[in-house]
Amino acid sequence: MNPVRALKNDIERLALPGGRMVGSHGHAVARAYLLKRLAQIGLRPYRRDSFCLQYGGEGGTRVNLVGVVPGRDASKPPVLVGAHYDSVIPAPCADDNCAALAIALAAADALRKRPPSRDVLIALFDAEEPPHFLGPGMGSIRFYEDQMKPEGVHAAVIMDLVGHDVVIPFEYLRGNRLADALARRFARLDRWDVALPIVRDLLFVTGAESHPALAPVLEKVKLPRRLRLIAALNEYVGDMSDHGVFRQNGVPYLFLSCGRWPHYHVPTDTPDRLNYRKMGRIAKYLVRLVESLCEARLETPRELADTVAFEIRCLKRALGPILPVALRIVGIERLETRQDLSDFAAALLATGL
């Protein structure tokens, strides 16, 4: 099946009209579909003979789904690829988080056909959304504290909100003649947000600071055409997804996201609004990234890394000719220091990302 068609097929089966809220019928339907897909791809269960790792929670049983892509050396701690499968409201929630689930499955299929140097876990976590978020019943927390094998994981790559074009609210661009002209030229007529060239292709990564070897890994991995990476400190956005438990426990991690958008946590987050070609590029990038992480020496040291220079290089590569325009819009003269990066990040976050 065409890779883009496969992504779309998975999302259409998961983005149920009634949602996937924990304990709902849709939640059970989505879980059953994911179990079937893990088996179809040819993964093996992480523990015992089932992909299901159950745990108790308020109001009933929760289930993390974890499969293994066998690597060439199973004695090494595995790399984990994670995404949550529940929804926050009774609505499709296609970007949150069906897109990440579909990309994780696509990467698993590609990695199985070309085994990496160590095992890769595909961890589909339950109960990420409120009211479970950051609480004791959150699936990723229960996995890390109760279900993970003693060898732990070599590194974790977590995805959330990875299915959409990065957009800028039109209101944020008002008042700058050049920006207004660009917005008028490229604004989508049926939406209030602006999908500008270059900007729409962005993918954000946090967590490079969690280990000194991660920035070099990210710089080495080739980005597919029309995918542009921006790296930032996790503290700018906080532990907004399942990477939090890994960060808090000193595990090298990366969090991939396209940021928040106007359809975040609302019923209009539907499959037709996603960019499936961009998702295909992210899936291809994820495979390359995981393969490089499998090879990276991450055992020691585990101190935080200074990533200022790396983040600036990422911004210059990603935004290219529009970086000076972006800096003028947000009132920053140049990018040289951590404070410059913090000011730029604050301006981006003010747009709703």
Side-chain angles (χ1 to χ4, degrees):
M1 184 183 293
N2 177 279
V4 172
R5 178 63 248 179
L7 290 166
K8 192 170 185 180
N9 184 65
D10 281 336
I11 288 173
E12 288 175 347
R13 296 293 299 272
L14 291 166
L16 304 169
R20 304 172 307 282
M21 296 178 69
V22 172
S24 69
H25 174 70
H27 185 241
V29 170
R31 181 168 62 243
Y33 178 76
L34 291 168
L35 286 170
K36 182 178 76 171
R37 289 289 286 121
L38 293 173
Q40 283 178 341
I41 292 168
L43 305 191
R44 69 165 189 253
Y46 177 58
R47 283 187 173 273
R48 298 178 293 277
D49 58 354
S50 173
F51 297 118
C52 295
L53 302 181
Q54 297 186 354
Y55 65 94
E58 185 177 349
T61 300
R62 312 284 181 256
V63 187
N64 289 325
L65 311 175
V66 186
V68 181
V69 178
R72 298 192 301 273
D73 187 349
S75 69
K76 298 177 179 179
V79 169
L80 179 144
V81 173
H84 72 87
Y85 71 90
D86 59 316
S87 70
V88 67
I89 56 174
C93 297
D95 191 44
D96 188 14
N97 198 27
C98 300
L101 296 169
I103 289 171
L105 293 172
D109 194 29
L111 289 164
R112 184 191 60 79
K113 295 171 183 173
R114 187 176 62 191
S117 61
R118 63 177 77 220
D119 288 355
V120 175
L121 306 186
I122 305 300
L124 311 180
F125 296 122
D126 204 349
E128 187 267 356
E129 297 285 9
H132 318 285
F133 183 64
L134 298 184
M138 188 174 178
S140 53
I141 293 176
R142 294 276 55 81
F143 171 80
Y144 188 89
E145 295 186 356
D146 304 333
Q147 299 170 341
M148 189 170 63
K149 292 181 179 180
E151 63 265 28
V153 296
H154 183 61
V157 182
I158 304 298
M159 297 180 292
D160 210 334
L161 304 173
V162 284
H164 66 272
D165 287 334
V166 175
V167 295
I168 299 175
F170 183 79
E171 290 298 319
Y172 185 76
L173 297 174
R174 290 189 184 277
N176 179 285
R177 282 192 296 176
L178 177 58
D180 282 348
L182 288 171
R184 286 194 298 272
R185 171 66 179 80
F186 295 106
R188 295 181 178 180
L189 298 178
D190 63 336
R191 296 171 28 170
W192 63 273
D193 47 294
V194 181
L196 295 174
I198 297 178
V199 174
R200 65 190 174 203
D201 300 331
L202 294 178
L203 174 67
F204 301 101
V205 59
T206 74
E209 69 277 11
S210 66
H211 193 284
L214 290 180
V217 166
L218 289 166
E219 293 209 273
K220 181 178 70 173
V221 177
K222 182 180 178 181
L223 283 162
R225 190 178 66 87
R226 286 197 58 192
L227 192 63
R228 300 169 182 270
L229 190 71
I230 287 185
L233 291 182
N234 191 70
E235 68 181 56
Y236 293 154
V237 295
D239 293 337
M240 62 178 291
S241 191
D242 290 303
H243 60 291
V245 68
F246 299 99
R247 181 194 67 78
Q248 293 163 14
N249 286 279
V251 176
Y253 75 93
L254 296 169
F255 173 56
L256 301 179
S257 180
C258 297
R260 294 179 180 176
W261 64 325
H263 308 288
Y264 174 68
H265 281 189
V266 292
T268 54
D269 180 4
T270 51
D272 59 296
R273 296 183 183 274
L274 302 184
N275 184 334
Y276 292 94
R277 293 189 181 279
K278 182 178 181 180
M279 288 172 54
R281 294 190 286 271
I282 293 173
K284 184 180 295 185
Y285 175 69
L286 177 63
V287 170
R288 295 172 182 172
L289 177 59
V290 168
E291 289 174 337
S292 292
L293 287 171
C294 285
E295 300 287 348
R297 297 182 61 86
L298 300 175
E299 293 77 13
T300 58
R302 292 200 176 236
E303 71 268 12
L304 296 181
D306 180 353
T307 56
V308 169
F310 166 65
E311 292 171 46
I312 292 173
R313 287 194 298 272
C314 278
L315 277 168
K316 290 180 176 178
R317 283 194 297 263
L319 298 183
I322 74 167
L323 180 58
V325 177
L327 292 177
R328 284 199 298 272
I329 290 173
V330 300
I332 298 173
E333 291 186 8
R334 61 184 66 85
L335 287 175
E336 293 181 347
T337 68
R338 171 56 63 194
Q339 187 59 54
D340 297 334
L341 288 167
S342 296
D343 291 344
F344 190 71
L348 289 179
L349 291 169
T351 71
L353 292 175

